[in-house]
Structures are given as structure tokens and as C-alpha cells.
Amino acid sequence: MKAGIVGLPNVGKSTLFNCLSNAKAQSANFPFCTIEPNIGVVNVPDPRLTKLGELVNPERVIPATVEIVDIAGLVKGASKGEGLGNQFLGNIRETDAILHVLRCFENDNIVHVDGSIDPIRDKETIDMELQLKDLETVEKKLDKVKRAAKTGNKEAQKEETALLKVKKGLEEGRSVRAIDLTEDERKEFIKPLQFITDKPVMYVCNVNEDAAVDGNEHVEKVKEAVKDENAEVLVLAVGTEADITELEDYEERKMFLQDIGLDEPGSAKLIRGAYKLLDLQTYFTAGEKEVRAWTVKVGASAPQAAGVIHTDFEKGFIRAEVIAYDDYVNYGSEAKVKEAGKMRVEGKDYIVQDGDVMHFRFNV
């Protein structure tokens, strides 16, 4: 599962990517510095994993990860191939969620492609390019569907109705995620087309250090502009986050954060937010060799969760032994949980809950 970082040139995308992945993507004060998308595999910060590690004291502790892709800056006309538009839009299409970075800070030393700071205008520039690309997709599909609908094909007529709603919404400047569609229409006709503006989005407002805690007037405007979009908004002082990641010592980092009024790096909130945006959750395995966080989609069954470890586990699934995270912590060990009768045995229909500590029985 991948989340893609998008935005205009020079809004702080590559600096943010570097913070998240510690991979030093080239970061320069001019557009098109990032051409090939940089991909970073980022650990998901989870205090529950740390706690389980303390209780079990295994040989190793392995966190869950999420892939973050740094996509080059989009410009006006990208949908028609301006800049490196087609390539960028292709890279965005391959991601599962979008982290849209908006410049909400003033700094005369960092040029803005449009000459002034206006995150709403910047957002609309990117939205329009993505919407134009989606409009191309829906028009192509409609040409085929209309022919089938004319022959009286009931399914094609339903699809045509849904696609016309999307076309009208896009022409009015709305993203697919904000268009009023039924759940069935989304599932049957919209999801398979992988519209770019249907992907879940988080707006990352990049601010100066003094606005890291409470934001600023630019951030308030962004919140107001996206209130109908079912989108997350996160305030992040990306330059400051970059300084924090440069500090090797944990205590130094902690003091730095306290000085600016934060309890944890904003990048940790962003990674967890991306994880949630991708509709992911965590279950744990805990043994002497390793305590590990595993990633599954929300709503995954026990056999599907087992399959994340190894496909043989899913094929030969017999049962899952499940301990709720809170019970594991309250009783302090697997043995004590069993003694208290708090370990459950679940079958193939069990839907995994976030934080479950699981052990699988399988037969190959």
C-alpha cells in the first residue's frame, strides 16, 4: 500500500519525504528537481509495539511499515503534459492515497511558482489538473457504456447514470470523492476506474516553526475549503521536522519538541494518518524470537491476516488464538492471560480487530 506526496514545486514535498524516510531525496530551490519518484519504506510509530516488546523481551521487535512515494511537483497544464505532467499523473494513479502538501508559510528566500503564498489557489491548481485527467477517463468510459445502454442493457444504463453524475461533478470542479453517489454506484462502477480524485487525501499544511502547534490563517482557510471533502488536515512545520530528524540523540529530540510545544514529531502523526487513510490496521504476533506488527486492511478475516505472514498459513488455516491488546498488557504475559481465561479461539469467520495479539494454527 502506497501513499503519494503531491503538491506544486517548492512547497516542501521532498523535505517532508526526507523526514519520513531518512532517504535524502534531492531537495533544491527550483522546480522539477524530483523527476523519478522516490520511494521510502517508513516504519509506523506504535507505542503498543514498544509495550509488547518490554513485556516479552524478544530477540527483535519489528514494526509495521507503509510505502511513501515522493512525486515531482505538478504545474498548470500537467493534464495536457506540461512540465513532466503525464509521468507525474501516472505516478499518482499508482498510489492508494494522496498526501497533498500545501505551502502555508512565508519565506522570501524560497521562490513560489506563482509568485505569492495562497494555499487555496495552489490546491485548486492541483485539483483542476487531477480533475481534468479524471474527466478524460470518464468520457472515454461513457462512450462505450452509452452504446450498451442504448441497446436496453439495464446494467449499462445504471452505469451510465453513475458516470454522468461523475462527469457533471468534475465539470463543476468537484473531486470524485466529493460527488454524491450511492454506495453501490461507487463499489460497482466508480472504484474499478481508479479515479485519481477518488483516492483518500490528507492535506499537509506546511507552516513555519512558530505555527507548528496552532497553525495560522492560511491553515484556517484550508480547513474551511476542504470541509465537504471528507479529507484529513494536518499542520506540520516541515523544515523544523527536518531539523529534528538530524538530531541523533533521543533526549535532544525530546527537548527540541518540548521547546516548540509538541509532544511527538508531527511526522509520526502523519505516518499514522497515512496508515489510517489507506484503511489499514495492525495486529501483533508476540514470541521469544520476535514481537512484530503486521498490517491488514480493516475488515480482514483471520485467514487473510494469517496469509500476510505466509500464504500457506491462509491455505491451511485451522484456527486463531486471539488475545486483546489491553488484556495482554493488564495480565502481563500470554501465560497469565490463558490462566485468566481471556484467550479466545476464533475460526475462519473472525474479523480481526486493531491491536489483536494473534497466534495461528494451520495445516499444510
Side-chain angles (χ1 to χ4, degrees), residues 252-283:
E252 277 184 45
R253 284 189 195 185
K254 214 170 166 184
M255 278 167 63
F256 195 137
L257 287 165
Q258 282 169 350
D259 285 347
I260 57 173
L262 295 174
D263 53 357
E264 66 171 346
S267 54
K269 287 179 186 155
L270 186 137
I271 296 162
R272 284 201 298 273
Y275 197 70
K276 192 174 153 199
L277 211 57
L278 292 162
D279 204 23
L280 301 175
Q281 63 180 6
T282 300
Y283 78 86

Side-chain angles (χ1 to χ4, degrees), residues 175-229:
S175 291
V176 176
R177 75 180 78 83
I179 294 170
D180 192 18
L181 293 154
T182 69
E183 216 165 294
D184 286 347
E185 283 173 332
R186 281 197 182 277
K187 195 174 164 188
E188 284 179 55
F189 309 125
I190 307 308
K191 288 286 176 207
L193 291 174
Q194 289 188 298
F195 289 112
I196 299 172
T197 65
D198 194 31
K199 294 179 191 294
V201 66
M202 177 191 286
Y203 292 100
V204 181
C205 295
N206 184 8
V207 298
N208 285 324
E209 187 179 306
D210 57 6
V213 177
D214 299 319
N216 57 26
E217 62 188 77
H218 293 308
V219 173
E220 293 312 310
K221 285 177 186 167
V222 171
K223 286 179 178 173
E224 180 59 28
V226 307
K227 66 178 192 294
D228 299 327
E229 261 194 66

Side-chain angles (χ1 to χ4, degrees), residues 317-352:
F317 180 89
I318 300 170
R319 64 177 184 273
E321 294 164 359
V322 183
I323 301 169
Y325 170 77
D326 287 344
D327 286 338
Y328 204 111
V329 172
N330 288 341
Y331 289 98
S333 73
E334 187 177 314
K336 285 181 181 162
V337 171
K338 283 181 183 171
E339 272 173 39
K342 290 287 186 180
M343 188 174 85
R344 308 189 311 276
V345 175
E346 301 286 1
K348 289 183 176 179
D349 296 335
Y350 178 68
I351 301 301
V352 176

Side-chain angles (χ1 to χ4, degrees), residues 83-320:
L84 298 164
N86 290 329
Q87 189 182 338
F88 299 170
L89 290 163
N91 293 334
I92 296 169
R93 199 180 287 285
E94 286 164 19
T95 64
D96 304 287
I98 292 173
L99 306 174
H100 185 161
V101 182
L102 294 167
R103 179 169 168 179
C104 296
F105 67 89
E106 310 279 343
N107 185 334
D108 295 339
N109 296 322
I110 300 174
V111 296
H112 187 293
V113 284
D114 289 326
S116 62
I117 307 306
D118 184 346
I120 306 306
R121 177 202 59 211
D122 296 353
K123 173 191 175 309
E124 285 167 358
T125 298
I126 299 258
D127 283 352
M128 190 171 75
E129 295 308 325
L130 301 184
Q131 287 160 5
L132 286 168
K133 205 67 189 167
D134 281 348
L135 197 53
E136 269 179 40
T137 304
V138 79
E139 283 170 346
K140 272 185 204 160
K141 185 69 177 172
L142 264 170
D143 284 346
K144 291 179 190 168
V145 172
K146 276 179 174 170
R147 287 197 290 273
K150 276 179 186 160
T151 66
N153 180 318
K154 291 274 189 287
E155 201 60 19
Q157 287 169 352
K158 278 193 213 165
E159 185 168 6
E160 184 185 17
T161 303
L163 293 176
L164 285 169
K165 283 186 198 175
V166 169
K167 183 174 184 282
K168 183 172 183 282
L170 287 166
E171 285 170 344
E172 290 168 353
R174 281 181 291 143
S175 291
V176 176
R177 75 180 78 83
I179 294 170
D180 192 18
L181 293 154
T182 69
E183 216 165 294
D184 286 347
E185 283 173 332
R186 281 197 182 277
K187 195 174 164 188
E188 284 179 55
F189 309 125
I190 307 308
K191 288 286 176 207
L193 291 174
Q194 289 188 298
F195 289 112
I196 299 172
T197 65
D198 194 31
K199 294 179 191 294
V201 66
M202 177 191 286
Y203 292 100
V204 181
C205 295
N206 184 8
V207 298
N208 285 324
E209 187 179 306
D210 57 6
V213 177
D214 299 319
N216 57 26
E217 62 188 77
H218 293 308
V219 173
E220 293 312 310
K221 285 177 186 167
V222 171
K223 286 179 178 173
E224 180 59 28
V226 307
K227 66 178 192 294
D228 299 327
E229 261 194 66
N230 192 22
E232 304 272 327
V233 177
L234 184 77
V235 179
L236 207 61
V238 174
T240 306
E241 295 285 329
D243 293 340
I244 293 169
T245 55
E246 293 295 323
L247 298 172
E248 300 292 329
D249 184 63
Y250 173 75
E251 287 305 319
E252 277 184 45
R253 284 189 195 185
K254 214 170 166 184
M255 278 167 63
F256 195 137
L257 287 165
Q258 282 169 350
D259 285 347
I260 57 173
L262 295 174
D263 53 357
E264 66 171 346
S267 54
K269 287 179 186 155
L270 186 137
I271 296 162
R272 284 201 298 273
Y275 197 70
K276 192 174 153 199
L277 211 57
L278 292 162
D279 204 23
L280 301 175
Q281 63 180 6
T282 300
Y283 78 86
F284 303 101
T285 51
E288 284 175 17
K289 284 212 178 307
E290 70 175 30
V291 167
R292 183 165 182 164
W294 300 89
T295 301
V296 286
K297 291 286 276 183
V298 171
S301 66
Q304 286 169 329
V308 173
I309 298 175
H310 199 290
T311 49
D312 286 351
F313 283 28
E314 185 171 1
K315 286 179 199 155
F317 180 89
I318 300 170
R319 64 177 184 273

